């Protein structure tokens, strides 16, 4: 299994709730959050692009507590 080079988002501060991203073999993109690093989301670039557009457009705001 290849070792992933996790990079922290430049928007994350030094506190908790940081988002990390890594590119795996084959170009898949992996995302994890610092509070639960064992939970990893895997996507292709087009899927991540659609997710980010949805977040920016507020499509998931109804899921927030």
């Amino acid at each position: 299994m290849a070792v992933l080079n996790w990079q922290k988002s430049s928007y994350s501060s030094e506190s908790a709730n940081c988002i990390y991203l890594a590119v795996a073999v084959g170009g898949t993109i992996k995302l994890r959050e610092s509070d639960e690093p064992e939970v990893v989301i895997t996507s292709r670039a087009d899927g991540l692009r659609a997710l980010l557009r949805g977040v920016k457009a507020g499509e998931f705001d109804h899921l927030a507590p």
Side-chain angles (χ1 to χ4, degrees):
M1 185 168 156
V3 175
L4 296 173
N5 180 23
W6 291 100
Q7 298 178 358
K8 185 170 77 165
S9 167
S10 61
Y11 290 96
S12 296
S13 65
E14 292 299 322
S15 62
N17 301 320
C18 298
I19 299 295
Y20 291 85
L21 179 137
V23 178
V25 175
T28 58
I29 298 169
K30 306 226 178 233
L31 296 167
R32 71 179 187 189
E33 201 264 329
S34 59
D35 287 346
E36 294 186 60
E38 68 279 358
V39 177
V40 177
I41 298 171
T42 302
S43 180
R44 295 186 324 255
D46 56 344
L48 179 58
R49 192 176 303 114
L51 173 66
L52 293 174
R53 283 185 188 141
V55 169
K56 288 179 180 180
E59 293 178 20
F60 307 104
D61 289 354
H62 67 284
L63 300 174

